[in-house]
Amino acid sequence: MTQKCLLLKASGTNTKVRFFTAIFLSALLPASTALADPVATPAPDKSQYDFFNPTPDGQLRSFCTDRPTKSNLPCTVDAGHFQYEADVINWTHNNTGNTVQDTYLYPNPTFKLGLTNNSDLELNIAPLETITTHNKITGVNTNQTGNGDLYTRVKYNLIGNDSGDIAATLLPYVKIPTAEPGIGNKTFEEGLIVPVSFALPHNFSLLFDPEVDNLKNANDGGHHGNYQGLVNVSHTVFNNDITAYGELWSDINEDPAGHVTQTSLDFAVTWLVRPTLQLDIGANVGLNPETPGFQAYTGISQRF
């Protein structure tokens, strides 16, 4: 929860333009051709609720999380309520060149607190992260264990939090460098995510998650742009208790030490055990050599 001063350099401009143009043009199509219900339902007025005056249980939104895939949804936690979303265990396997690396997170929680009807505060940190590296030439194995970096986010919903077929949110974040070198890079980093979702017919949903990050250069103290995007399709069945997800994700990292593009195909399933408790399982498959070959995880989310 893999989510700055925006650094847009002249180099690579054509790549960025093509990248974001494709995402936003694609996002416009469902809005005009495939919405689930052309008549929007009026949103209830819940503007009077905040952290000190919580939303009554009878007016809470349906349970909504940023799990289980790489995507973030436009929904926020209702004012005055608390929610956690966590990997129980998360394993990433990467076999590149002469190195095989396995990374384990257990757990990897995100804590959310509803501030107003349309905003929440979110904190994410992996308290225990283990990286195991095997050198295929020397046969040497190395292990490093410690906590991860702390990610602080504020999600602000622009439209569609309580009703309607289109929802959009601003989601800025700051990474606070709490991890040791080797697990983290001891540098503050920032970014902005703009989730946009569309309700489609027959219990399908479509989600786009463009993201811009300001990341530290690998070889010096400067920073560079990093650009992510994904397309996520989900479908609910069995009285909306089971949801299946399919997702195509891509990342363009413009580090001066070497530009890297990663792409993965992601799948997941959630089970809504009860209205405020969700279990999930998922896997991500790398589609090019620069992307970790396989990632698997299982998780839990709950609202109070």
Side-chain angles (χ1 to χ4, degrees):
M1 302 218 318
T2 329
Q3 279 48 57
K4 296 174 183 174
C5 302
L6 304 184
L7 183 62
L8 301 177
K9 296 186 178 179
S11 61
T13 298
N14 291 336
T15 299
K16 301 172 203 172
V17 171
R18 290 195 300 269
F19 182 71
F20 285 105
T21 298
I23 291 175
F24 284 108
L25 286 180
S26 299
L28 292 176
L29 294 177
S32 60
T33 62
L35 296 179
D37 183 359
V39 180
T41 303
D45 183 10
K46 300 194 294 182
S47 58
Q48 70 271 31
Y49 303 123
D50 55 31
F51 174 73
F52 300 101
N53 180 28
T55 304
D57 289 348
Q59 297 187 44
L60 294 178
R61 289 184 281 271
S62 297
F63 193 40
C64 177
T65 72
D66 290 325
R67 294 188 59 83
T69 61
K70 297 185 180 80
S71 60
N72 296 276
L73 271 66
C75 52
T76 63
V77 177
D78 283 279
H81 290 263
F82 169 76
Q83 184 168 310
Y84 73 84
E85 306 168 13
D87 290 311
V88 175
I89 185 169
N90 185 312
W91 166 56
T92 302
H93 178 75
N94 193 21
N95 189 340
T96 304
N98 298 321
T99 301
V100 179
Q101 188 172 81
D102 292 285
T103 302
Y104 301 90
L105 308 177
Y106 25 63
N108 181 29
T110 296
F111 302 103
K112 299 182 176 182
L113 183 62
L115 302 179
T116 68
N117 186 53
N118 290 319
S119 65
D120 65 35
L121 173 66
E122 307 179 359
L123 301 175
N124 166 257
I125 188 171
L128 188 59
E129 183 171 344
T130 297
I131 301 175
T132 301
T133 304
H134 172 72
N135 188 302
K136 290 186 282 188
I137 295 179
T138 64
V140 174
N141 294 323
T142 59
N143 292 277
Q144 184 171 8
T145 299
N147 60 272
D149 289 314
L150 174 64
Y151 289 83
T152 62
R153 318 194 314 177
V154 175
K155 183 185 285 188
Y156 184 79
N157 177 270
L158 301 173
I159 185 175
N161 216 8
D162 289 293
S163 67
D165 296 322
I166 303 175
T169 287
L170 296 178
L171 182 53
Y173 77 87
V174 175
K175 187 203 80 176
I176 300 173
T178 55
E180 294 299 316
I183 295 178
N185 61 7
K186 303 303 292 182
T187 303
F188 284 87
E189 294 174 332
E190 314 85 24
L192 176 65
I193 312 168
V194 187
V196 181
S197 68
F198 302 91
L200 303 180
H202 308 297
N203 292 328
F204 281 90
S205 295
L206 180 63
L207 173 71
F208 297 88
D209 256 17
E211 176 177 345
V212 181
D213 311 303
N214 184 44
L215 305 183
K216 180 185 178 298
N217 295 345
N219 295 335
D220 59 48
H223 287 73
H224 63 274
N226 185 80
Y227 311 95
Q228 297 187 47
L230 62 81
V231 179
N232 179 295
V233 177
S234 62
H235 180 52
T236 59
V237 294
F238 299 114
N239 296 320
N240 295 330
D241 290 340
I242 304 294
T243 303
Y245 300 83
E247 177 178 280
L248 180 64
W249 170 86
S250 184
D251 178 280
I252 300 173
N253 189 316
E254 296 194 340
D255 193 318
H259 292 193
V260 175
T261 298
Q262 296 183 323
T263 307
S264 70
L265 190 60
D266 311 332
F267 302 95
V269 176
T270 63
W271 173 32
L272 192 63
V273 181
R274 57 176 185 262
T276 59
L277 176 64
Q278 173 184 285
L279 303 178
D280 65 66
I281 187 170
N284 307 328
V285 180
L287 299 181
N288 65 346
E290 291 74 28
T291 308
F294 188 73
Q295 183 179 41
Y297 57 85
T298 184
I300 182 172
S301 303
Q302 190 171 12
R303 181 180 67 193
F304 300 90

